């Protein structure tokens, strides 16, 4: 049997000022979700010269919760939009995916939605346009939406290529005033996407190429964007590069997958740590469990390092560890001030539930419960020597 890959991605519109594209679609009832109330005015300004009715549905300013879907679904059903416009970070876009799914499929239960790659096609009632205002989550291109149970702090994953938006608009003007901590967190999330996408079991030449270039761009431009010593012009150029690179990483994980950082990242919701910071701390240790690999060696080689695959893989781990330090991250969760007793009380449960995740099954790390415990221990203490 022939083995082949199909590449999925939205229609991408990019360049500064490209936000205006949304008005060209000719839609009449535009439902808007945003990261702040200011998005309401921004959205209305986009459509001011059209006859479209624009209604602001919700502000999503926290990690996406399951209830965010069902709290806002009645407003969506009442308005009956033909365009869903999401302007914000990953939380805004993930909630928009969930709302779109249940708006068009009112008889579906949340449990029904958790079957991987078994969701119905969307677009019967509304098109979707996603406009990321951060550079990292990849939700604007991905087939996934992650939701957290408020009571258990456990994540649930909606996964289907039908969740990929119809259009993604990459307008770096929206990232120029991004707070430094958000720039760093989302940038590290994107770096993790890029690195993990290179080694997923279902990767292909396309995803390896785009993930490798994304990783190189993030490693080069994230320090510039986060450096107060950079000029405004340097930071502006770096932010635009990062915005493109983050979406490239999103395309890569959509067409391959993430790895064990994204299936073992439970300390984030448990201790209210931003997802990207968790990614930054866990990534070097996850690479040690996966590597050495020729994919890591390729990135290191292009960064200017020399040596064999083992030496180059180690060089890339060191490079990322130094980047983390430069960006102000702790080397491990202990250094980040996470309570040791509470952390390790959760480790057995996390190690069990992480095994069922698609990201674990598609990782070459070959995880089991004991390896999961070892991974969590490494992430907490680092290398004690």
């Amino acid at each position: 049997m022939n083995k082949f890959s199909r590449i999925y991605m939205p229609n991408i519109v990019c360049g500064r000022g490209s936000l205006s594209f949304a008005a060209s679609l000719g839609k009449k009832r535009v439902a808007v979700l945003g990261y702040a109330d200011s998005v309401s005015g921004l959205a209305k300004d986009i459509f001011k010269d059209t006859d479209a009715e624009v209604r602001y549905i919700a502000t999503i300013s926290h990690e996406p919760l399951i209830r965010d879907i069902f709290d806002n679904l009645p407003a969506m059903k009442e308005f009956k939009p033909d365009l869903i416009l999401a302007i914000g970070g990953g939380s805004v876009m993930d909630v928009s995916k969930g709302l779109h799914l249940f708006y068009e499929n009112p008889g579906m239960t949340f449990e029904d939605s958790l079957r991987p790659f078994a969701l119905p096609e969307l677009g019967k009632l509304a098109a979707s346009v996603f406009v990321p205002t951060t550079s990292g989550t990849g939700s604007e291109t991905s087939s996934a939406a992650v939701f957290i149970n408020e009571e258990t702090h456990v994540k649930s994953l909606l996964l289907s290529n039908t969740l990929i938006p119809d259009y993604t608009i990459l307008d770096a003007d929206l990232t120029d005033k991004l707070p430094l901590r958000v720039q760093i967190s989302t940038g590290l999330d994107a770096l993790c996407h890029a690195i993990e996408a290179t080694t997923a079991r279902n990767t292909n030449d396309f995803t390896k190429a785009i993930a490798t270039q994304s990783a190189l761009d993030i490693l080069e431009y994230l320090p510039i964007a986060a450096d107060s010593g950079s000029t405004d012009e340097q930071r502006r150029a770096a932010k635009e590069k990062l915005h493109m690179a983050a979406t490239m990483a999103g395309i890569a994980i959509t067409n391959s997958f993430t790895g064990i950082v994204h299936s073992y990242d439970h300390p984030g919701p448990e201790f209210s740590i931003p997802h990207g910071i968790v990614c930054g701390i866990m990534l070097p240790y996850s690479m040690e469990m996966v590597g050495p690999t020729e994919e890591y060696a390729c990135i290191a080689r292009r960064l200017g390092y020399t040596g064999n695959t083992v030496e180059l893989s180690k060089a890339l781990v060191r490079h990322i560890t130094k980047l983390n330090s430069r960006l102000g991250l702790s080397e491990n969760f202990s250094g980040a001030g996470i309570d040791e007793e509470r952390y390790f009380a959760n480790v057995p449960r996390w190690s069990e539930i992480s095994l069922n995740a698609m990201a674990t099954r598609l990782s070459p790390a070959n995880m089991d419960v004991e390896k999961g415990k070892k991974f969590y221990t490494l992430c907490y203490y680092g290398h004690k020597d």
Side-chain angles (χ1 to χ4, degrees):
M1 181 180 292
N2 292 329
K3 181 181 179 181
F4 61 89
S5 301
R6 180 178 173 183
I7 307 303
Y8 294 87
M9 67 178 73
N11 293 287
I12 295 176
V13 182
C14 55
R16 289 185 178 272
S18 56
L19 183 57
S20 60
F21 170 80
S24 71
L25 295 173
K27 300 299 183 178
K28 303 299 182 184
R29 302 178 67 80
V30 183
V32 181
L33 284 88
Y35 67 97
D37 291 345
S38 59
V39 171
S40 177
L42 179 64
K44 289 177 180 176
D45 189 58
I46 297 169
F47 292 91
K48 65 182 180 182
D49 295 325
T50 74
D51 58 355
E53 181 180 353
V54 178
R55 183 174 298 184
Y56 192 68
I57 299 295
T59 294
I60 308 296
S61 56
H62 49 258
E63 294 287 338
L65 304 173
I66 295 172
R67 67 171 175 82
D68 288 325
I69 300 173
F70 299 102
D71 285 353
N72 294 296
L73 189 57
M76 187 76 79
K77 289 180 176 179
E78 187 274 328
F79 182 50
K80 296 182 175 60
D82 59 2
L83 176 63
I84 298 172
L85 177 63
I87 303 177
S91 297
V92 172
M93 292 183 281
D94 281 4
V95 172
S96 296
K97 289 177 183 179
L99 277 172
H100 195 177
L101 176 66
F102 288 95
Y103 166 54
E104 296 204 359
N105 299 278
M108 177 177 286
T109 66
F110 188 72
E111 288 69 28
D112 291 337
S113 72
L114 300 179
R115 291 176 295 161
F117 298 104
L119 299 180
E121 292 287 339
L122 299 179
K124 303 183 294 291
L125 301 179
S128 55
V129 175
F130 284 13
V131 186
T133 58
T134 62
S135 305
T137 69
S139 186
E140 71 275 5
T141 67
S142 80
S143 54
V146 178
F147 295 91
I148 297 170
N149 183 309
E150 272 188 292
E151 295 181 1
T152 65
H153 304 293
V154 172
K155 298 185 304 178
S156 294
L157 180 69
L158 275 60
L159 184 62
S160 175
N161 289 321
T162 62
L163 297 176
I164 297 172
D166 297 301
Y167 295 91
T168 291
I169 298 176
L170 301 177
D171 189 338
D173 284 349
L174 299 174
T175 71
D176 284 337
K177 295 182 179 179
L178 207 59
L180 178 60
R181 61 182 179 80
V182 177
Q183 183 80 72
I184 291 172
S185 178
T186 55
L188 290 172
D189 188 13
L191 177 63
C192 193
H193 290 161
I195 297 290
E196 290 189 318
T198 65
T199 59
R201 292 187 188 277
N202 64 336
T203 192
N204 56 65
D205 287 345
F206 182 93
T207 58
K208 284 186 183 182
I210 197 169
T212 296
Q213 186 59 52
S214 171
L216 290 167
D217 284 349
I218 294 166
L219 289 168
E220 179 176 358
Y221 291 105
L222 181 55
I224 297 172
D227 186 354
S228 60
S230 301
T231 66
D232 288 345
E233 184 178 350
Q234 288 172 327
R235 278 197 298 273
R236 184 176 165 86
K239 285 172 180 284
E240 187 160 13
K241 285 285 190 179
L242 284 172
H243 211 42
M244 303 298 171
T247 295
M248 289 164 60
I251 293 170
I253 61 172
T254 296
N255 293 283
S256 56
F257 221 78
T258 54
I260 58 173
V261 170
H262 280 80
S263 50
Y264 285 75
D265 64 341
H266 303 291
E270 179 67 31
F271 293 97
S272 300
I273 311 170
H275 173 67
I277 301 302
V278 173
C279 287
I281 291 173
M282 298 183 83
L283 179 58
Y285 303 113
S286 75
M287 293 172 68
E288 292 179 12
M289 302 200 75
V290 170
T293 73
E294 179 51 36
E295 290 79 16
Y296 296 165
C298 175
I299 296 172
R301 199 176 294 116
R302 295 188 188 186
L303 288 169
Y305 295 101
T306 59
N308 58 35
T309 298
V310 173
E311 294 165 337
L312 287 165
S313 295
K314 289 180 177 178
L316 181 59
V317 171
R318 290 194 300 271
H319 189 98
I320 291 172
T321 300
K322 290 178 181 177
L323 171 66
N324 285 345
S325 177
R326 181 175 174 182
L327 296 174
L329 268 69
S330 301
E331 271 194 30
N332 48 53
F333 287 127
S334 175
I338 297 305
D339 181 77
E340 182 178 23
E341 182 177 356
R342 182 176 160 196
Y343 179 91
F344 282 100
N346 280 287
V347 162
R349 178 173 66 94
W350 292 339
S351 299
E352 288 277 359
I353 63 177
S354 298
L355 287 178
N356 296 321
M358 186 77 74
T360 302
R361 297 202 297 269
L362 290 176
S363 168
N366 297 315
M367 300 298 286
D368 56 33
V369 171
E370 290 308 310
K371 288 182 76 172
K373 292 176 180 178
K374 177 185 176 182
F375 181 38
Y376 279 122
T377 300
L378 263 179
C379 291
Y380 190 83
Y381 294 116
H383 294 288
K384 291 185 178 181
D385 58 349

